[in-house]
Amino acid sequence: MRLLIRRLSTTPGPISQLLARDWLRVNPRSTVTASKHLLTPLAFQSRSGARNIASGVGLGSSNSETLSGDSKPRAEHAVISTFDLFSIGIGPSSSHTVGPMRAGRIFVHDLKQYGLLEKVKNIKITLYGSLAATGKGHHTPQAILLGLEGSDPETVETSTVNARYEFIRDQKTLNLAGKHRIHYDMDRDMLWRMEQLPTHPNGMRFTVFDENGDPLATNEYYSVGGGFVVNEKTKVDENLYYMGVDKSKVDPSRRSQIHEFDGSNPGDSDGNTGQPQYLFKSGDTLLAMSKKHNMTIAQLVYDNELYYLTEEQIHAKLMRIWQVMDECIRTGVSTSEKVLPGRLGLRRRAPLLYQRLMRGFYPGLYSGSTLPAIGSGSSLMTPAINAPAINIDVPDSPNPSSPIDQHEDMTSRKAKGPKGLRVVGSLDHPVLPMPPKRTVFPNIDFLSCYAIAVNEVNAAGGRIVTSPTNGAAGVIPAVLKYTVEFISDDTEKTVETFLLTAAAIGMLFKRGSTISAAEGGCQAEVGVACSMAAGAFAACMGASPEVVLQAAEIGIEHNLGLTCDPIDGLVQVPCIERNSLGAVKAITAAQLAMATDAVHSVSLDEAIEAMRLTAADMSIKYKETSLSGLAKTVKIPLTSPAC
């Protein structure tokens, strides 16, 4: 039998390249490895070598030249849309769940566009690298199959995902694009390959066949972190990666931008060059624009968004992002579910933490039967979770006063802990044991609770905002919620300043390094989120742009080298607690920067470059593969510690 394999053209193009005029007839023995179940073409060589499509970091199972310390990030601007960086999706992973779901949807859309959908009899899915290593724990199969059925990460009903996946698996039927049913056998039609494709560790290949078993079309996609999906079709967009399905619906100005500039006159675009007005490529150029135009970082980003959207649209989108974040926290602290999915059997902690905080006994032993009432998340001016009410004397009657008033009230009281606490240690010793004490830091405790709540929702596959990824989705919402609850007197202004500032910092990381754990370990996720949150918090405190970027630098500097070693491939341990620590660290970083008035020895640009080099040197075992670290030393099953 003769098989069809795609010709490697030097010109990127859409799936139309997969049609007859762009196929070569070859001897199957020389090009493919045929098995009983699957035709597996050899990995296509990337037209850009082993360079990472998404950032300055190159990829591959070995350190390529692009990953070496001598290589430099591309000299292109960092500007993308805030609403690409912060996108609404589904847990537990932006790169392993949201990205693959988008890839599946894009693939079937292209099949339909070119008249191939009705001809499909079978589909083969091959996962490579990190997707193969941790995909099962990250719900990659569910995401791809639902994407192939036409589901979108932003709108898919999260409560139906597992049931739909089980139906596909058990009934062995897949409804492509919701219109064309085919036979699909998970054991036969989905393969897991630990080797990496040259372009990126998170690679996947889809191939469809007709009724004669001949291939109709094939395409490769790379999920590069934060829900971004790229391949030969999309990477011509440079850093304006489209996150939708139909590229023709993207505004022409976004598809025709020129992304290289000499940087000699940053921020001087007159609006007629097909680009946003303020194009920055580094922290230094961002500061230069801020000084030249006497604008805050949030104002610069806002004006760039005006190139694509109206003021009303920008405001609505920012408030929608905040609403989803807020509702996610509300869901996390009010759920009645006790255990997270997966073999770890990890106990949810956010509901009990919140209950204790609301009743003023944290970290005591109160065991009330119900949670306090939680306000609706539909109002943008009223936080979804009402201001924390800490009342020691009457724990069942929340105090409606403001968070700051409550904090002052709390510090003026002496918290009463549970009676009968036992002193541990010998009393007949020169060094007497310390008596038990109850110290309550309500602000910080709520901050930690919020972060844990978000990541428990994420781990359960709930609705989430990639901020900038799902694995780090708790840091930014927690710090923003903390700012709104305990500091802000204008919710909408705070939300806009926070998210726009955080977005600018995230853009610098995405261009100068990476936001993918499969490329750089957890420093690329929680580390970047901590940096973004630190800078955004400083901005909401009225800090200068110099102090904002210094807060961001402190946030990432003390996360350098952070590895990604999730136990059993689940986004649970150490991910959930790590988000809590990342949120606390972000506040501390901002406070340090504001206390020293931006006096520093390391700039944000230097820290981002250091992160890039660290990512290049990091072993693949610590890049979201669960091959070492905690994933190797912790035995399953395990029990989670009590709160």
Side-chain angles (χ1 to χ4, degrees):
M1 182 179 73
R2 300 177 67 83
L3 301 174
L4 300 177
I5 300 299
R6 183 174 61 180
R7 182 170 62 209
L8 298 181
S9 168
T10 58
T11 304
I15 202 171
S16 56
Q17 287 185 335
L18 310 182
L19 302 180
R21 63 181 178 83
D22 285 326
W23 290 88
L24 285 177
R25 293 189 177 275
V26 297
N27 187 326
R29 291 189 177 89
S30 65
T31 310
V32 301
T33 301
S35 69
K36 178 179 179 181
H37 298 306
L38 178 67
L39 167 68
T40 310
L42 298 179
F44 299 144
Q45 293 297 317
S46 169
R47 295 174 180 74
S48 58
R51 190 173 93 176
N52 170 18
I53 302 172
S55 66
V57 179
L59 265 296
S61 56
S62 61
N63 290 339
S64 65
E65 292 181 2
T66 306
L67 267 175
S68 67
D70 295 333
S71 62
K72 301 295 183 183
R74 291 181 289 171
E76 299 165 352
H77 72 73
V79 175
I80 61 175
S81 173
T82 299
F83 308 110
D84 284 344
L85 198 64
F86 292 113
S87 64
I88 299 170
I90 184 175
S93 172
S94 54
S95 60
H96 288 53
T97 314
V98 177
M101 185 178 289
R102 285 196 175 112
R105 191 163 183 253
I106 292 168
F107 185 66
V108 294
H109 176 272
D110 287 344
L111 291 177
K112 184 168 57 175
Q113 182 179 358
Y114 292 99
L116 298 175
L117 183 64
E118 300 300 327
K119 300 178 182 179
V120 175
K121 186 68 174 179
N122 195 12
I123 184 171
K124 307 293 184 182
I125 302 167
T126 309
L127 304 177
Y128 293 90
S130 179
L131 289 182
T134 59
K136 290 182 179 179
H138 286 52
H139 298 184
T140 303
Q142 293 93 315
I144 291 178
L145 294 177
L146 266 61
L148 291 171
E149 287 199 333
S151 294
D152 178 75
E154 183 171 351
T155 59
V156 64
E157 178 53 56
T158 58
S159 62
T160 66
V161 169
N162 289 334
R164 289 176 59 188
Y165 171 68
E166 291 171 2
F167 179 84
I168 294 170
R169 184 191 60 196
D170 297 341
Q171 300 299 317
K172 297 185 178 181
T173 180
L174 183 64
N175 192 18
L176 293 179
K179 298 180 178 180
H180 179 59
R181 291 193 177 274
I182 63 171
H183 180 78
Y184 183 81
D185 187 335
M186 275 285 298
D187 296 331
R188 183 192 68 183
D189 297 332
M190 183 173 287
L191 263 67
W192 310 75
R193 304 296 193 207
M194 289 300 296
E195 67 268 21
Q196 296 180 358
L197 295 178
T199 304
H200 193 277
N202 291 334
M204 63 199 101
R205 178 183 292 145
F206 305 147
T207 306
V208 290
F209 301 83
D210 63 17
E211 59 183 5
N212 297 320
D214 294 327
L216 287 171
T218 187
N219 216 333
E220 295 168 359
Y221 299 89
Y222 305 94
S223 183
V224 298
F228 292 90
V229 179
V230 297
N231 67 354
E232 294 300 333
K233 174 181 177 179
T234 66
K235 77 176 188 178
V236 295
D237 289 334
E238 290 298 333
N239 57 328
L240 284 180
Y241 307 114
Y242 79 111
M243 301 180 73
V245 172
D246 191 348
K247 191 173 178 180
S248 64
K249 295 181 180 179
V250 177
D251 188 278
S253 63
R254 298 193 63 190
R255 290 185 278 121
S256 62
Q257 286 191 23
I258 301 171
H259 297 279
E260 296 186 4
F261 71 110
D262 59 15
S264 58
N265 295 300
D268 283 345
S269 173
D270 59 6
N272 297 319
T273 60
Q275 300 175 351
Q277 187 172 2
Y278 302 110
L279 299 179
F280 55 87
K281 64 177 181 180
S282 64
D284 287 343
T285 57
L286 183 58
L287 284 179
M289 293 179 194
S290 178
K291 292 179 179 178
K292 178 176 181 179
H293 300 281
N294 190 29
M295 297 172 68
T296 66
I297 292 174
Q299 289 171 339
L300 293 171
V301 177
Y302 183 88
D303 283 2
N304 281 343
E305 294 298 335
L306 285 175
Y307 188 80
Y308 311 118
L309 304 167
T310 65
E311 292 183 357
E312 292 76 15
Q313 289 173 323
I314 295 172
H315 177 79
K317 284 177 173 287
L318 289 172
M319 292 303 111
R320 170 60 178 159
I321 290 171
W322 161 238
Q323 185 181 26
V324 174
M325 289 179 173
D326 202 16
E327 190 66 25
C328 183
I329 295 173
R330 177 180 179 271
T331 300
V333 301
S334 62
T335 182
S336 60
E337 296 179 4
K338 303 298 183 183
V339 179
L340 291 171
R343 293 196 300 167
L344 300 184
L346 199 68
R347 197 177 79 197
R348 287 180 179 262
R349 290 195 272 180
L352 185 57
L353 286 171
Y354 186 71
Q355 181 181 17
R356 289 173 175 173
L357 283 167
M358 292 295 289
R359 297 184 185 279
F361 285 99
Y362 178 81
L365 303 176
Y366 180 83
S367 57
S369 59
T370 60
L371 287 168
I374 298 177
S376 170
S378 60
S379 173
L380 297 175
M381 293 302 294
T382 302
I385 299 176
N386 292 332
I390 302 172
N391 191 322
I392 301 300
D393 297 327
V394 190
D396 291 320
S397 301
N399 188 341
S401 60
S402 70
I404 296 177
D405 291 338
Q406 291 160 7
H407 174 61
E408 293 174 350
D409 182 64
M410 186 65 199
T411 56
S412 67
R413 299 169 182 258
K414 182 177 180 181
K416 297 180 181 179
K419 297 180 180 180
L421 293 177
R422 180 173 176 270
V423 175
V424 178
S426 173
L427 297 177
D428 184 20
H429 193 278
V431 181
L432 291 175
M434 296 296 294
K437 296 182 178 66
R438 294 303 187 200
T439 304
V440 180
F441 300 99
N443 303 32
I444 299 300
D445 289 336
F446 273 99
L447 177 67
S448 297
C449 179
Y450 295 155
I452 289 174
V454 172
N455 280 86
E456 287 181 347
V457 171
N458 178 66
R463 179 75 61 224
I464 212 80
V465 176
T466 58
S467 353
T469 65
N470 282 24
V475 177
I476 288 175
V479 177
L480 177 53
K481 182 70 172 176
Y482 171 92
T483 308
V484 168
E485 292 279 3
F486 291 94
I487 298 170
S488 172
D489 55 2
D490 187 335
T491 298
E492 294 191 0
K493 181 180 178 181
T494 297
V495 169
E496 290 177 345
T497 299
F498 192 101
L499 293 178
L500 292 171
T501 304
I505 297 168
M507 293 174 200
L508 295 176
F509 279 98
K510 183 163 178 56
R511 175 51 55 187
S513 186
T514 179
I515 58 171
S516 170
E519 293 179 303
C522 199
Q523 63 175 355
E525 297 207 16
V526 170
V528 171
C530 176
S531 179
M532 294 168 64
F537 179 76
C540 290
M541 296 296 290
S544 67
E546 291 84 358
V547 173
V548 168
L549 293 193
Q550 185 55 27
E553 187 281 324
I554 296 173
I556 188 58
E557 179 182 340
H558 302 288
N559 280 293
L560 291 176
L562 197 61
T563 62
C564 181
D565 50 353
I567 299 175
D568 203 31
L570 300 170
V571 192
Q572 297 180 12
V573 182
C575 319
I576 296 173
E577 287 183 351
R578 187 167 287 173
N579 274 258
S580 172
L581 272 292
V584 174
K585 190 181 292 186
I587 299 292
T588 304
Q591 290 176 323
L592 283 172
M594 290 185 290
T596 55
D597 197 24
V599 176
H600 63 275
S601 301
V602 182
S603 70
L604 178 58
D605 291 337
E606 291 168 334
I608 291 175
E609 174 66 3
M611 177 187 152
R612 187 185 72 84
L613 297 176
T614 304
D617 295 335
M618 186 180 290
S619 168
I620 192 174
K621 293 180 179 180
Y622 300 103
K623 295 180 178 180
E624 207 170 4
T625 57
S626 294
L627 295 177
S628 191
L630 288 174
K632 186 174 182 179
T633 61
V634 177
K635 307 302 179 185
I636 301 171
L638 54 78
T639 57
S640 62
C643 298

